[in-house]
Amino acid sequence: MAFTTDQFRLDGKVAIVTGAGGRGNSIGRAYALGFALAGASVVVADLNLEGAQVVADEIVAGGGKAVAVQVDVADQASTQAMAAAAVAAFGGIDILVNNAAMMAELGQLTIADVPLDMWNRILSVNLTGAMLCAQAVVPAMRERGGGRILNQTSGGAFPATSIYGIGKLALVGLTTTIAKQLGKENITCNAIAPGNVKSDAGKLLVPDDSPFIQYLAMNCATRPRGEPDELVGTALLLCSEAGAWITGQTIHIDGGWVMRP
């Protein structure tokens, strides 16, 4: 089939984006708005239902289709209900973006000091949550003849030097496993590894005057920080027909901070 730019469109597709709520500048919101602009019907899923509704209303006001759904990605029943709500609203599921994660609230927890309940909570959200959401949507994707799963990992996983990084590195393993096991069913699974993004959560964790920003400025090939919108183009590639032959990959979007052969 000859290439056309229409292959980047998502018309007729149904996309779930977790962690997409919020009134401020967030990666999940950028994904939701970008997918809607490309023609998808978007399920804006977040633990904060009020925040999810704000983003859904923004999409609808712009002429798109969206619904807000409350979800706790660490709870299996909640993720199943999210998938059911997507099918009820739009008739199926084609795309899952596993964006929900604990990050800014982790602070500077160290392995030597982290309480076990906090360790379990982090992994239940940042790793198990992605698995539960994938399990919830796969049956609907099979009914549609395939689908796209996109996991949000992090440049901070290469190498992992924090609890957050440990969970995000394990998410790469989940990505390759899903890709291998479901590829023959036309379900692809890839990951995006952002660098330091100027989202509200990113700026809370790493302020502009942080020494880490100075480190990035010296080590990134281009800019040390990016905007949430700068992740959307790659997400569209991986979740559209244009990226149908890409699976099991982690793509770094970080100004040339992490460079892998």
Side-chain angles (χ1 to χ4, degrees):
M1 180 176 64
F3 170 78
T4 70
T5 55
D6 288 344
Q7 292 175 28
F8 288 93
R9 295 287 305 172
L10 299 177
D11 301 292
K13 302 298 184 183
V14 179
I16 297 175
V17 183
T18 68
R23 296 181 176 85
N25 191 29
S26 73
I27 294 174
R29 173 180 173 273
Y31 285 148
L33 293 177
F35 280 34
L37 189 62
S41 299
V42 181
V43 177
V44 182
D46 203 286
L47 186 61
N48 177 1
L49 180 58
E50 181 182 357
Q53 190 64 59
V54 169
V55 175
D57 289 346
E58 187 175 359
I59 291 171
V60 172
K65 297 179 180 179
V67 295
V69 174
Q70 186 175 41
V71 65
D72 178 355
V73 298
D75 180 83
Q76 187 174 37
S78 184
T79 59
Q80 294 286 336
M82 174 189 69
V87 173
F90 298 122
I93 302 168
D94 303 285
I95 297 164
L96 167 67
V97 180
N98 277 317
N99 171 71
M102 296 176 67
M103 185 181 74
E105 58 267 53
L106 301 185
Q108 302 301 316
L109 288 171
T110 66
I111 291 296
D113 301 317
V114 61
L116 180 59
D117 60 346
M118 176 61 77
W119 168 269
N120 288 336
R121 176 60 180 164
I122 294 166
L123 292 183
S124 71
V125 173
N126 292 10
L127 176 61
T128 305
M131 185 270 292
L132 291 176
C133 287
Q135 286 184 336
V137 305
V138 162
M141 288 183 175
R142 284 171 169 157
E143 289 186 6
R144 305 271 272 197
R148 306 280 184 265
I149 297 173
L150 180 61
N151 294 326
Q152 183 97 323
T153 180
S154 171
F158 302 90
T161 57
S162 66
I163 298 166
Y164 175 75
I166 291 169
K168 290 298 187 178
L169 184 57
L171 189 58
V172 175
L174 179 65
T175 299
T176 55
T177 299
I178 293 174
K180 189 68 172 178
Q181 294 182 356
L182 299 182
K184 299 299 185 185
E185 299 183 68
N186 194 33
I187 297 174
T188 67
C189 187
N190 293 287
I192 284 177
N196 194 265
V197 177
K198 289 190 283 187
S199 63
D200 290 349
K203 289 189 290 186
L204 180 63
L205 185 64
V206 185
D208 290 336
D209 59 355
S210 167
F212 184 61
I213 297 300
Q214 299 173 25
Y215 161 81
L216 288 177
M218 290 187 295
N219 287 275
C220 288
T222 60
R223 291 176 281 118
R225 306 190 92 169
E227 298 289 345
D229 287 344
E230 293 183 273
L231 306 178
V232 176
T234 301
L236 285 175
L237 166 65
L238 297 175
C239 292
S240 67
E241 186 61 29
W245 205 35
I246 305 171
T247 196
Q249 306 304 309
T250 296
I251 298 181
H252 292 263
I253 309 174
D254 58 13
W257 172 31
V258 178
M259 295 188 180
R260 303 172 70 207

